[in-house]
Amino acid sequence: MLLDGGDMLLGLLNDVLDFSKIEAGKMRLESTEMNVRNKLAALRRLWEPKATSRGVRLSVVVDEAVPDAIRTDPLRFQQILFNLLSNAVKFTRDGAIRVNVGWDEATSTLTAEVHDTGCGIAPDQIDSIFDSFEQASAGDTRRYGGTGLGLAISRRLAQAMGGDLTATSAPGEGSTFTLTVRVEAVDPADAVEAAPVVRPATVSLQGRSILAVDDHEVNRRILALLLEPHGCRLTLVENGAEAVEAAGVEPFDAILMDMQMPVMDGLEATRRIRAGGPNVATPVIALTANAMDVHKAAWDAAGVHAFLTKPIDAPLLARTLGEACAERRPAAKPEAEAAA
């Protein structure tokens, strides 16, 4: 719930910042190559599970005339279509959402129509939905959520990209939003396709033993909710002194360590665990709200395996823990032996 609340607040702040930049004339657009079909396929993969869960079919049809590669601002193009698909899924209870993409070679204009079979909008309210902080009716914010900035930002971005965003709709018959943007077609022979990013699969945490150290009860509860479904055994303690004590009793596959805690902080606890005992070589992962470079440097000096910041990114946390458990370093030699 905290993560969801944080994401909502971050989304609102980003919308307000984007709108402020546009209003001030300080929104800078990029111009880079983009594979149209790949971008649309990624958006479909992103929204299809949500649509399907609501009993709604999502389809994307790209006309053969559409160039494979164009030059535009990929991030802003994606942002506009993301907003349109988000609204289509939000306001469609059953039926279908269809995205039709076309190309006008004479004007170098790319057109994307997002049609849904949702609740629709009254004709006298069409213009107002593109105003900032406005939705079709006063009850929409309470019923569906949202800030009322998405369409206002999307239209202004489309206009900044040499196009526009318009809508047609009727209550009970769905809506069609039409995005047009002026782009430059790129010759396939000149297009540079970025190499696909290969992400290693998350290493399983099943059966792993994790020591998690955090002085806040809510944080410990969140860690339990996030990690226990992975099948790991979680030992929770609330300060560095308890962490040192627990680490001296049994070996762990990985240790999650907070920074600022009463009794003993995370840095001192890490140094003491590193000094000897069954966890002298156990990967320690810093998990802290202290995210400045000076804090990261202090953790590096203490010898941590990785540095993660709060609020917690759940997939990144699981992946980092899995990799740490799989790459556990061999036990260090005792200082006396090393000196000899």
Side-chain angles (χ1 to χ4, degrees):
M1 287 186 291
L2 287 171
L3 290 171
D4 287 344
D7 286 344
M8 290 174 61
L9 179 59
L10 183 61
L12 173 59
L13 290 173
N14 284 336
D15 282 351
V16 171
L17 288 172
D18 275 351
F19 192 77
S20 298
K21 288 178 184 178
I22 295 171
E23 291 289 278
K26 296 183 178 180
M27 173 63 73
R28 296 182 179 179
L29 297 176
E30 301 292 333
S31 180
T32 58
E33 292 175 9
M34 180 188 81
N35 186 296
V36 178
R37 288 168 176 81
N38 286 354
K39 181 66 69 176
L40 291 168
L43 284 165
R44 180 182 60 78
R45 287 193 299 270
L46 180 65
W47 283 105
E48 194 168 40
K50 180 69 172 178
T52 301
S53 70
R54 298 167 67 91
V56 176
R57 300 182 307 278
L58 173 61
S59 62
V60 178
V61 179
V62 183
D63 191 272
E64 291 183 359
V66 175
D68 285 332
I70 61 173
R71 185 176 295 277
T72 186
D73 188 323
L75 176 63
R76 299 308 178 184
F77 177 82
Q78 176 178 289
Q79 182 178 357
I80 296 170
L81 282 181
F82 184 95
N83 281 333
L84 297 181
L85 285 170
S86 174
N87 283 342
V89 171
K90 183 189 302 183
F91 292 104
T92 305
R93 294 295 180 183
D94 54 58
I97 298 169
R98 187 176 66 254
V99 181
N100 293 324
V101 182
W103 172 249
D104 185 341
E105 186 174 2
T107 59
S108 294
T109 300
L110 187 72
T111 301
E113 292 182 349
V114 180
H115 174 74
D116 65 65
T117 57
C119 57
I121 307 165
D124 60 348
Q125 295 176 330
I126 288 289
D127 291 337
S128 67
I129 64 173
F130 292 104
D131 294 336
S132 56
F133 297 104
E134 290 290 339
Q135 293 185 322
S137 67
D140 282 349
T141 299
R142 178 168 295 179
R143 183 178 178 185
Y144 297 103
T147 63
L149 280 173
L151 288 176
I153 291 172
S154 295
R155 169 174 272 185
R156 284 161 176 78
L157 285 175
Q159 292 170 344
M161 297 167 73
D164 203 356
L165 178 62
T166 58
T168 58
S169 184
E173 297 181 10
S175 305
T176 299
F177 286 83
T178 302
L179 166 68
T180 58
V181 289
R182 295 287 296 276
V183 301
E184 176 187 348
V186 178
D187 189 317
D190 299 331
V192 178
E193 185 68 24
V197 178
V198 179
R199 301 185 185 276
T202 301
V203 181
S204 174
L205 293 176
Q206 183 70 39
R208 297 293 190 175
S209 180
I210 311 293
L211 173 63
V213 191
D214 198 298
D215 65 309
H216 202 294
E217 182 180 356
V218 172
N219 289 340
R220 294 196 299 274
R221 177 60 177 156
I222 290 173
L223 287 173
L225 290 170
L226 292 177
L227 295 177
E228 286 178 349
H230 288 275
C232 60
R233 183 174 65 86
L234 201 59
T235 300
L236 297 164
V237 297
E238 58 184 79
N239 60 60
E242 291 184 5
V244 172
E245 181 179 354
V249 174
E250 63 173 297
F252 293 95
D253 291 301
I255 299 173
L256 285 173
M257 187 72 73
D258 191 15
M259 188 172 188
Q260 291 183 326
M261 295 179 289
V263 185
M264 183 186 298
D265 65 38
L267 290 169
E268 178 61 25
T270 301
R271 286 190 286 264
R272 295 197 184 190
I273 292 171
R274 285 277 178 264
N279 291 284
V280 66
T282 299
V284 176
I285 299 169
L287 182 60
T288 174
N290 298 87
M292 296 178 67
D293 289 342
V294 64
H295 300 132
K296 188 176 187 301
W299 281 109
D300 287 340
V304 295
H305 175 86
F307 179 81
L308 301 179
T309 58
K310 299 172 183 174
I312 299 170
D313 182 327
L316 178 60
L317 174 64
R319 184 167 65 249
T320 303
L321 273 173
E323 292 169 354
C325 291
E327 300 171 7
R328 179 171 177 172
R329 296 187 296 270
K333 296 180 180 180
E335 291 185 8
E337 182 182 340

